[in-house]
Amino acid sequence: MSPATTPYLRLLTTTQLAFNIGFYAVLPYLATHLGTGLGMTGWLVGLVLGLRTFSQQGLFVVGGALTDRYGPRPVVLAGCALRIAGFGWLAFASSTAAVIGAVVLTGLAAALFSPAVESETAREAVRHERLTGTPRARVLARFSAAGQAGAFLGPLIGSLLLLLDDGFRAACLAGALVFTAVLAGHALLMPRRAPVARTPAPGSLRAVLTRRPFLLLCLAYSGYLIAYNQLYLTLPAEVEDATGSQTALGRLFALSSLLVVCAQLPLTRWSADRVTPRTALAAGLAVVAAGFAAVPLTPAGPGGLLPATALVVLLTLGQMLLVPAARGLVPDLVDDRHLGLATGALSSVSGLAVLGGSAATGALLDVSAPLRWSVLAAVPLAGAALALALPAGAARERTPAARA
């Protein structure tokens, strides 16, 4: 057995892989379906995507609280069932109201599923670190790499399904089939009880949200999530402007996921041994900002895809630095009894920020390119400044065993 894995961690990691395969077979093509297939305007497409992100990230706090109260198994199973229903609905939705209902349902499914899996992974990573000295960031990086492997395979499967007649519907139904398999597998394999006792505490939400360092982490992470959401809004527009179609979009998503699959573990191993999580978080956000700033500065090159490729590469490198660092900081900033709630709150605060910014960033599609990319670069850059304001004590000192 690898020193960075346990049977429970392997189950959680495989869960993330399968869930992302089904998710990314559909999501990269949603904006095109809404705009071209259903004829929605740019701001409405941005609003729908923002509602999807908010119903997912914004309600993570609910999934986290339920995980603390009931354990991960029932929350994960409920999330899978809702995702099956949401994708089935989205496959046949044609009106604006029906589309909004379907995307909100799919977002709510992830709001239940993801906090349960992520908080359990963080808790197990800390426990494994204490037992073996393996830095938690390495365990969390393995989890992220598995998710990105799913994000790599999902768009490829989706792009093949789009070649069929009514391909978007076929992609939605294929995604629902994947989640059916995930539901069946976890009904059989996931432990019925959590590995540690959960103690509900009155006022737990207040106890989490009144911790200033944790709020700073939430706001810094919001800068990343707003930026990441541009992969589904601004990047498709950039690719279409450059090439006349969105055919290359699947290849860019595949490039992003392949970078994570190949480089996440070595990069995290390097950063975990040399810099604090706070520094990794700030540096990652700065690299993301550089990705947006590079778009108007990069020559078009062959096929006109070099600016979009620069954005994807830099955003992905920043993501690889900051996501394991942010997740690894959460257990140090909150009480263990509230870890599920805090994991959900981290995404919920970010989801609120995305909801507020999605319509605005959708409107940026109509302004000049230098202004658009400058505004988008400023968002993660502000997040980097907030990350540097985290107290030095937020990054837990490495133990001698961990250094060994």
Side-chain angles (χ1 to χ4, degrees):
M1 183 178 67
S2 167
T5 60
T6 66
Y8 193 53
L9 281 170
R10 286 198 295 272
L11 174 64
L12 294 170
T13 301
T14 304
T15 298
Q16 184 74 352
L17 169 68
F19 200 81
N20 275 8
I21 287 175
F23 180 68
Y24 284 100
V26 176
L27 186 63
Y29 310 103
L30 178 58
T32 301
H33 173 68
L34 297 178
T36 303
L38 300 183
M40 293 185 178
T41 59
W43 72 267
L44 185 55
V45 172
L47 180 61
V48 170
L49 293 178
L51 286 171
R52 188 210 65 79
T53 302
F54 171 71
S55 63
Q56 176 175 322
Q57 307 288 343
L59 297 180
F60 263 36
V61 67
V62 176
L66 291 173
T67 300
D68 286 341
R69 177 67 180 86
Y70 298 106
R73 186 176 189 273
V75 180
V76 166
L77 296 181
C80 290
L82 288 180
R83 182 56 68 85
I84 294 166
F87 271 11
W89 189 3
L90 185 61
F92 297 96
S94 57
S95 67
T96 300
V99 167
I100 289 175
V103 299
V104 167
L105 191 60
T106 61
L108 179 59
L112 294 177
F113 177 92
S114 294
V117 174
E118 290 175 11
S119 62
E120 285 304 295
T121 304
R123 179 178 279 111
E124 283 292 296
V126 172
R127 178 176 176 271
H128 196 58
E129 181 182 63
R130 291 170 181 166
L131 291 174
T132 68
T134 302
R136 71 185 72 172
R138 294 190 188 182
V139 176
L140 295 170
R142 192 179 297 272
F143 180 82
S144 295
Q148 286 300 321
F152 172 74
L153 295 172
L156 296 179
I157 294 171
S159 65
L160 292 175
L161 292 171
L162 288 176
L163 298 176
L164 303 174
D165 292 336
D166 210 350
F168 184 78
R169 177 175 295 175
C172 289
L173 295 177
L177 184 62
V178 170
F179 293 119
T180 301
V182 173
L183 174 64
H186 282 76
L188 294 173
L189 299 176
M190 198 165 197
R192 291 187 176 273
R193 292 189 178 182
V196 296
R198 283 164 171 72
T199 307
S204 57
L205 182 60
R206 185 177 63 229
V208 168
L209 295 181
T210 54
R211 290 178 178 261
R212 182 175 178 273
F214 179 71
L215 283 179
L216 284 175
L217 176 63
C218 289
L219 293 174
Y221 198 74
S222 296
Y224 156 69
L225 192 61
I226 291 173
Y228 188 80
N229 199 52
Q230 301 313 308
L231 289 179
Y232 311 113
L233 181 59
T234 310
L235 179 64
E238 171 67 21
V239 171
E240 186 159 3
D241 289 344
T243 66
S245 73
Q246 295 188 8
T247 304
L249 190 60
R251 295 197 296 271
L252 289 174
F253 276 100
L255 171 63
S256 173
S257 299
L258 190 61
L259 281 173
V260 177
V261 172
C262 295
Q264 177 73 79
L265 296 179
L267 181 61
T268 303
R269 188 179 301 115
W270 175 88
S271 65
D273 290 338
R274 289 168 176 79
V275 300
T276 64
R278 179 182 67 177
T279 302
L281 176 61
L285 285 162
V287 172
V288 171
F292 289 106
V295 173
L297 302 177
T298 304
L305 285 175
L306 280 181
T309 303
L311 170 63
V312 169
V313 169
L314 289 173
L315 194 153
T316 303
L317 288 174
Q319 171 192 329
M320 287 190 285
L321 277 172
L322 72 91
V323 171
R327 289 177 177 167
L329 280 168
V330 175
D332 290 334
L333 300 178
V334 300
D335 190 287
D336 184 70
R337 295 175 302 165
H338 306 145
L339 184 56
L341 180 62
T343 300
L346 176 65
S347 295
S348 291
V349 173
S350 304
L352 286 170
V354 171
L355 179 62
S358 288
T361 53
L364 287 175
L365 296 175
D366 299 324
V367 306
S368 64
L371 176 59
R372 175 168 70 247
W373 297 111
S374 297
V375 171
L376 292 174
V379 175
L381 196 61
L386 289 171
L388 291 175
L390 283 169
R396 189 177 56 81
E397 291 295 326
R398 297 277 301 283
T399 65
R403 288 193 295 270

